[in-house]
Amino acid sequence: MRVLGIETSCDETAAAVVLDGRDILSNVVVSQERLHSIYGGVVPELACRAHVESLLPVLDRALSDAGLGLDGIDAVAVTYTPGLVGALLLGVAAAKAICLARGKPLVGVDHLQAHIYAAYLTPTPPVPPHVSLVVSGGHTNLYLTRDVADHELLGSTLDDAVGEAFDKVASLLGLGYPGGPRVEAAARDGNPKALRFPRTQLGPGSLDFSFSGLKTAVLYHCRGQNASLKTPPRPIPDLPDVAASFQAAVVDVLVARTFEAVEARGARALVCGGGVACNGPLRERLAAEGAARGIAVHLPPKKLCTDNAAMVAGLGYQLALRGRTADLALEVVPTS
Amino acid sequence: MRIAAFETSGTLGSVALAQDGALVSERAFEKGLVHGRELLPSLRDLVAAAGWVIGDVDLFAVSCGPGSYTGVRVGVATAKALAWALGKGILGVPSLDALAENAPADAGERVCPVVDARWQQVYAAVYRRNPARDAGASGEVRRWLRDGELLAVRPEELLPRLPPGTFIFGDGLDRYAALFERPDLRRGPEPPRHARASAVAALAWLDARAGRRDDPFRLVPLYLRPTEAEVKFGSKAKN
């Protein structure tokens, strides 16, 4: 079964064709990163304007890269939650239109579950049950995955998402947007042990996260005693150490909670997905901890961690197999 | 020629089918921003009720703004994807052109629909009566011809553009009622305030017969103004 996937939940317009939930026949992503960078974050109205322009070129390319016409497509899967409402609406409108036009089944896909499914598009897919960590600009969620379409939420962030914390600290340090890769790059020349930023633990047994205290600690460190300053004076003399120490604190917290979840649920495998799963130190630490504990750690390649439609098409296939198709009245759900 | 038309620029959306210039059917959604949910099921139902299949539609006509950014985009994205998936034509019709069609028969020589655009602005355009239509070419030509551009302006900037005797109507007048109380402007019993998909279909038919088509890859909504973020960033950059 060949599934056309469509993804427009945030600032990437993406379409892909995946065969039987495993083989990626095409994977097209048009990123709007440059469009939003001067604003220091995603501007929803700009994102939506770009989506409506990119939709058809991206769809057309996804089919031609796969060497197919719409006749060769058996179902259309689309992200309907969570994300920017105006952006989700556009992918869903296009998906419904294609389904009505060509008599194809429609499948609504949860973007966060799709991030987990990215690991199933690799040569050695995980075997459920496993723990799943989804880390992105909008989410920091831990799940117990019993099946690719059955996830129990174990914990999530009570304030900033981890990607948001990277963006805010990057902005504080004058590194620009997007924060994740910029902080990681700055941290390469720094000492992760130079500064001891807080690792927030929310009560015994809690698998939730909190990053706002960490972000504030970085601010206090950089502006020193001068509380009237909203942004620290530049240049920041120990910027690489600040970046490296902040990143180390984030990674420590993510890795600690994740393996607590693995232990609590007796899981034998772990999946990490989402844009922040591109972070090098996070990948290394998860892999090392997993190896030390005999836990299989599945980290999708970076281009499947950032937003893409292959993961949507792949999960869409699994949902279709389970009879979980949608009808033309499918509504978007901006918050999960 | 069979046309399917969408109007989603305001709070009352609708879908219509027309054949060779004659309205076949029309369905309005419940009021509110429910276009995303209602549009495709309504189209499916109307097509089935007309005894058509979706592939019978030759042209998808869509109200392409100005209006609710999100609403217009849902209509435009839907029409683009339908035209692309079926290899059929697409035509964008300005929402104000369709709204002008709501003006009453006795509206006089000039009409101006005025739509609340928020940010202390209105969307508006001035239309003059087409003499050719009255000369007997009924239904063959547009009833109203647009004079000048589609505008997104402060109401104070619109006023000097309104010739004496212009019939004004629309929800943009509510917030600025006092401003528009000029003795030489005409008001009447308020015509319907929402553009109709049937009008979009009718105008698209006239344009399509004249050979006009849009490229589904290039058609974009008529926003008429930059985003709030761009405006704020621009003024910050100047300071």
Side-chain angles (χ1 to χ4, degrees), chain A residues 277-321:
Chain A
C278 292
N279 181 272
L282 176 62
R283 295 173 79 91
E284 288 155 23
R285 279 285 304 285
L286 287 172
E289 283 288 325
R293 296 162 184 248
I295 305 294
V297 176
H298 298 267
L299 298 164
K302 292 181 183 179
K303 75 170 189 182
L304 291 177
C305 288
T306 48
D307 287 355
N308 67 86
M311 65 185 194
V312 176
L315 181 54
Y317 165 79
Q318 299 290 352
L319 292 169
L321 275 192

Side-chain angles (χ1 to χ4, degrees), chain B residues 18-171:
Chain B
Q19 183 160 10
D20 299 331
L23 182 66
V24 172
S25 55
E26 181 171 33
R27 181 192 284 185
F29 314 150
E30 62 177 276
K31 211 165 173 190
L33 295 173
V34 297
H35 311 325
R37 185 185 77 210
E38 299 295 329
L39 194 53
L40 270 305
S42 298
L43 175 63
R44 175 195 58 201
D45 295 350
L46 290 191
V47 164
W52 301 1
V53 296
I54 191 71
D56 291 338
V57 175
D58 301 299
L59 180 75
F60 293 93
V62 59
S63 171
C64 60
S68 151
Y69 293 162
T70 298
V72 170
R73 267 194 297 266
V74 166
V76 168
T78 301
K80 282 163 83 98
L82 283 164
W84 172 76
L86 292 164
K88 298 301 177 76
I90 191 170
L91 254 180
V93 173
S95 54
L96 291 169
D97 289 12
L99 189 54
E101 295 291 310
N102 287 358
D106 61 357
E109 288 307 303
R110 280 192 171 76
V111 300
C112 177
V114 183
V115 175
D116 190 347
R118 302 193 283 189
W119 301 5
Q120 288 84 52
Q121 290 185 334
V122 291
Y123 298 126
V126 178
Y127 296 81
R128 70 188 143 80
R129 194 177 281 280
N130 183 357
R133 171 94 167 209
D134 294 332
S138 133
E140 309 280 311
V141 294
R142 284 175 176 242
R143 184 153 52 126
W144 298 104
L145 302 173
R146 193 167 68 232
D147 263 346
E149 290 173 51
L150 301 162
L151 303 168
V153 292
R154 290 189 301 120
E156 297 84 351
E157 297 171 86
L158 174 62
L159 278 163
R161 295 169 182 263
L162 298 178
T166 302
F167 181 91
I168 55 173
F169 68 102
D171 66 11

Side-chain angles (χ1 to χ4, degrees), chain A:
Chain A
M1 185 191 246
R2 292 186 193 90
V3 178
L4 171 65
I6 302 176
E7 156 65 41
T8 62
S9 66
C10 191
D11 62 339
E12 331 275 352
T13 316
V17 181
V18 172
L19 171 66
D20 295 338
R22 287 207 42 83
D23 301 324
I24 300 173
L25 305 184
S26 65
N27 188 14
V28 180
V29 181
V30 170
S31 172
Q32 306 172 5
E33 195 175 291
R34 271 195 283 179
L35 182 66
H36 299 286
S37 63
I38 57 168
Y39 301 100
V42 175
V43 179
E45 176 60 22
L46 279 177
C48 293
R49 290 186 181 194
H51 281 310
V52 87
E53 288 178 29
S54 301
L55 258 175
L56 290 194
V58 166
L59 284 165
D60 213 55
R61 180 72 190 273
L63 288 183
S64 65
D65 282 3
L68 295 168
L70 276 174
D71 285 338
I73 298 297
D74 302 299
V76 180
V78 63
T79 302
Y80 77 100
T81 190
L84 303 170
V85 59
L88 289 166
L89 278 167
L90 301 175
V92 168
K96 288 181 184 177
I98 295 166
C99 289
L100 175 63
R102 304 300 290 258
K104 311 288 183 191
L106 174 69
V107 186
V109 168
D110 179 313
H111 181 82
L112 301 177
Q113 296 183 9
H115 272 310
I116 297 169
Y117 195 81
Y120 289 78
L121 295 168
T122 61
T124 51
V127 179
H130 56 75
V131 164
S132 306
L133 172 68
V134 178
V135 278
S136 69
H139 299 274
T140 311
N141 289 357
L142 267 172
Y143 300 91
L144 178 67
T145 298
R146 294 196 186 84
D147 175 77
V148 290
D150 177 11
H151 308 267
E152 179 193 345
L153 184 65
L154 304 176
S156 62
T157 183
L158 303 184
D159 39 58
D160 293 346
V162 59
E164 204 178 346
F166 269 102
D167 284 343
K168 287 178 177 175
V169 165
S171 154
L172 199 71
L173 301 178
L175 295 172
Y177 175 89
R182 305 231 177 161
V183 169
E184 186 179 351
R188 276 188 203 113
D189 304 321
N191 174 5
K193 293 184 175 156
L195 301 157
R196 183 70 193 173
F197 289 128
R199 274 84 170 146
T200 306
Q201 160 87 65
L202 295 153
S206 169
L207 295 172
D208 287 329
F209 302 91
S210 167
F211 294 104
S212 66
L214 171 58
K215 174 196 67 195
T216 306
V218 173
L219 171 65
Y220 285 179
H221 169 78
C222 293
R223 77 178 183 197
Q225 298 303 311
N226 192 345
S228 65
L229 292 175
K230 266 193 182 162
T231 51
R234 309 236 168 90
I236 295 165
D238 56 348
L239 192 147
D241 285 349
V242 175
S245 301
F246 160 77
Q247 182 173 252
V250 170
V251 169
D252 276 358
V253 167
L254 290 174
V255 171
R257 285 307 91 72
T258 299
F259 282 95
E260 283 162 25
V262 166
E263 203 146 290
R265 293 310 183 107
R268 306 304 308 155
L270 167 69
V271 165
C272 180
V276 180
C278 292
N279 181 272
L282 176 62
R283 295 173 79 91
E284 288 155 23
R285 279 285 304 285
L286 287 172
E289 283 288 325
R293 296 162 184 248
I295 305 294
V297 176
H298 298 267
L299 298 164
K302 292 181 183 179
K303 75 170 189 182
L304 291 177
C305 288
T306 48
D307 287 355
N308 67 86
M311 65 185 194
V312 176
L315 181 54
Y317 165 79
Q318 299 290 352
L319 292 169
L321 275 192
R322 289 159 177 76
R324 286 162 64 175
T325 52
D327 65 24
L328 292 179
L330 174 69
E331 288 193 79
V332 305
V333 181
T335 53
S336 59

